[in-house]
Amino acid sequence: MASNVDIGPVRIFDTTLRDGEQSPRTSFSYDEKRRIAATLDDMNTHVIEAGFPVNSDAEFEAVSDIAAATDTTVCGLARVVEGDIDAAIDSGVEMVHVFVSTSDVQLEDSMHATREEAKGRAVDAVEQVKDAGVECMFSPMDATRTDPDYLTDIVEAVSEAGTDWINIPDTCGVGMPTSFGQTVKAVVEATDARVDVHTHDDFGMAAANAVTGFENGAEQAQVSVNGIGERAGNAAYEEVVMAVESVYGVDTGIDTTQITKLARIVEEASDIPVPANKPITGRNAFAHESGIHAAGVIENSDTFETGVMTPEMVGAEREFVLGKHTGTHSVRKHLVEAGFDPTDSEVRTITKRVKEYGAGKRQVTAGDVERFAEEAGVTRDEEVRV
């Protein structure tokens, strides 16, 4: 069943190499950055935020090389500081993403600036980027904790200065879908620039808020592969893309069949394991053990899967896991695939062995099933033909 809400157009801005790499204890090598960027590019991701060029010589080189090697739009991050912006422009990126704090708590205790000072710096930064002939994105950092009137004020100011994009960051992940949607709608109404959203997962709302952004007029969402990023992370690339593609029926133009491969590349490079129950790319995402569920899925996958997304769509495979909760349908499937020709009675016998073995918190492998079948004297297909 697709959503009854129409959205579109939809663009994906990947920030794995910038915000994703800001995950605590995570650092990508030059080669890892290039490999991730090449995969994102091959998948037709709309924008790749390759890093923070002013951060170091190595970071500048990586961003510059990615910008030169990819067909997609490459973005560099910069504070509202002239040197940051010069470094981003010099790196050869097609888009510069400038940001300034706008919530009072960050203005007072992080930037040590007034609202007017922050707005002035924002306008100057946008003008510097546009004077260089580069596409500009502006972010009012901590937008969801910013006074709504001031948020509108600074959005109107940078819009007049010529920014191409306004990004709405839920920097601390406190936005809930309803309130976040209202914020997005207010910004859309306050600017002629295109609107983008950047959502964090501190309360598990990042993907929902990203999609809510689309429902309220945003054209683009910033995401990170496997949801990695500051603290609890960002909206996950795979979750947002597949929700848009499958539930809303919008063609993003992204090659979703490479999603699982991309997730494994980032998992290895980041050293952040993908949880088994992670949507889309977790090892349990398309796995079934419960007898009732497995029996239904063997008959028709739509019974206990989404009905709008298949494992093939994301380059994964469906798995029928054997264990404590296994039913006869899964056991028969495994036995037949292993070359056995079991009777109903033999299937019940092997199922009992599987349940008992799995109850001891032991993983039941295909080899175990074959051993159980051989011990029970189950006939193999080739023996029948002889």
Side-chain angles (χ1 to χ4, degrees):
M1 176 181 290
S3 170
N4 59 6
V5 178
D6 291 330
I7 63 172
V10 168
R11 290 166 48 94
I12 299 298
F13 177 116
D14 182 84
T15 186
T16 305
L17 299 178
R18 199 277 299 171
D19 203 347
E21 193 184 21
Q22 289 177 206
S23 300
R25 295 173 289 278
T26 294
S27 177
F28 296 135
S29 69
Y30 172 86
D31 289 340
E32 288 168 341
K33 278 204 166 197
R34 291 294 302 272
R35 186 183 182 196
I36 292 167
T39 306
L40 289 166
D41 184 33
D42 190 51
M43 292 171 66
N44 301 318
T45 306
H46 302 97
V47 182
I48 299 171
E49 188 168 46
F52 191 15
V54 80
N55 189 50
S56 67
D57 291 342
E59 181 82 347
F60 180 92
E61 181 183 3
V63 173
S64 182
D65 288 352
I66 290 169
T70 54
D71 292 327
T72 192
T73 297
V74 174
C75 179
L77 185 71
R79 295 167 298 182
V80 287
V81 174
E82 185 175 347
D84 282 28
I85 297 168
D86 284 339
I89 293 169
D90 291 345
S91 72
V93 297
E94 294 92 348
M95 176 188 290
V96 175
H97 178 189
V98 296
F99 69 96
V100 69
S101 294
T102 54
S103 67
D104 288 336
V105 64
Q106 288 193 0
L107 284 170
E108 293 170 9
D109 297 326
S110 179
M111 277 196 67
H112 307 292
T114 66
R115 289 182 176 184
E116 283 304 308
E117 288 170 338
K119 184 172 70 172
R121 292 180 197 176
V123 168
D124 290 344
V126 170
E127 289 177 344
Q128 182 182 348
V129 175
K130 294 306 297 178
D131 286 347
V134 178
E135 190 171 10
C136 182
M137 172 178 285
F138 171 75
S139 288
M141 188 161 65
D142 208 14
T144 48
R145 297 195 300 174
T146 296
D147 175 77
D149 290 336
Y150 178 58
L151 180 62
T152 298
D153 185 29
I154 198 167
V155 164
E156 290 176 343
V158 295
S159 298
E160 187 175 341
T163 191
D164 301 284
W165 289 90
I166 299 287
N167 169 244
I168 308 171
D170 183 23
T171 304
C172 295
V174 298
M176 296 293 113
T178 299
S179 60
F180 187 68
Q182 292 168 348
T183 298
V184 173
K185 188 175 181 180
V187 170
V188 168
E189 292 174 350
T191 183
D192 291 328
R194 304 168 81 178
V195 174
D196 170 272
V197 296
H198 177 107
T199 57
H200 277 271
D201 212 30
D202 295 75
F203 289 98
M205 296 292 167
N209 281 335
V211 172
T212 297
F214 289 137
E215 289 188 345
N216 285 275
E219 294 183 37
Q220 184 169 269
Q222 299 193 6
V223 297
S224 178
V225 179
N226 299 337
I228 66 172
E230 293 275 9
R231 305 180 313 280
N234 294 269
Y237 182 109
E238 57 279 5
E239 294 174 23
V240 174
V241 169
M242 293 314 298
V244 167
E245 291 264 353
S246 300
V247 180
Y248 290 82
V250 174
D251 182 3
T252 62
I254 288 172
D255 178 6
T256 65
T257 65
Q258 296 192 58
I259 279 179
T260 298
K261 179 184 78 172
L262 175 65
R264 300 295 174 259
I265 291 171
V266 173
E267 179 179 33
E268 180 181 355
S270 66
D271 200 29
I272 299 175
V274 174
N277 66 332
K278 171 75 175 62
I280 320 298
T281 56
R283 71 176 188 271
N284 288 350
F286 300 100
H288 306 274
E289 180 179 330
S290 164
I292 293 173
H293 284 229
V297 171
I298 289 171
E299 185 72 23
N300 177 359
S301 62
D302 288 358
T303 54
F304 288 102
E305 289 183 3
T306 65
V308 291
M309 178 177 64
T310 66
E312 292 79 13
M313 289 169 67
V314 297
E317 295 181 359
R318 184 175 292 108
E319 182 181 7
F320 294 95
V321 179
L322 298 174
K324 176 181 177 180
H325 308 290
T326 295
T328 56
H329 288 77
S330 282
V331 171
R332 180 182 295 280
K333 178 177 173 63
H334 276 78
L335 288 170
V336 170
E337 290 177 351
F340 291 94
D341 184 26
T343 65
D344 291 346
S345 176
E346 287 170 337
V347 170
R348 289 193 294 271
T349 297
I350 304 305
T351 300
K352 182 179 179 182
R353 290 286 308 275
V354 168
K355 286 177 173 288
E356 290 172 348
Y357 196 80
K361 294 191 176 181
R362 291 174 291 191
Q363 181 178 358
V364 183
T365 66
D368 292 325
V369 176
E370 291 192 41
R371 177 167 56 84
F372 297 156
E374 289 166 354
E375 290 172 356
V378 180
T379 304
R380 283 187 182 269
D381 282 341
E382 59 265 27
E383 295 173 6
V384 173
R385 288 194 294 272
V386 173

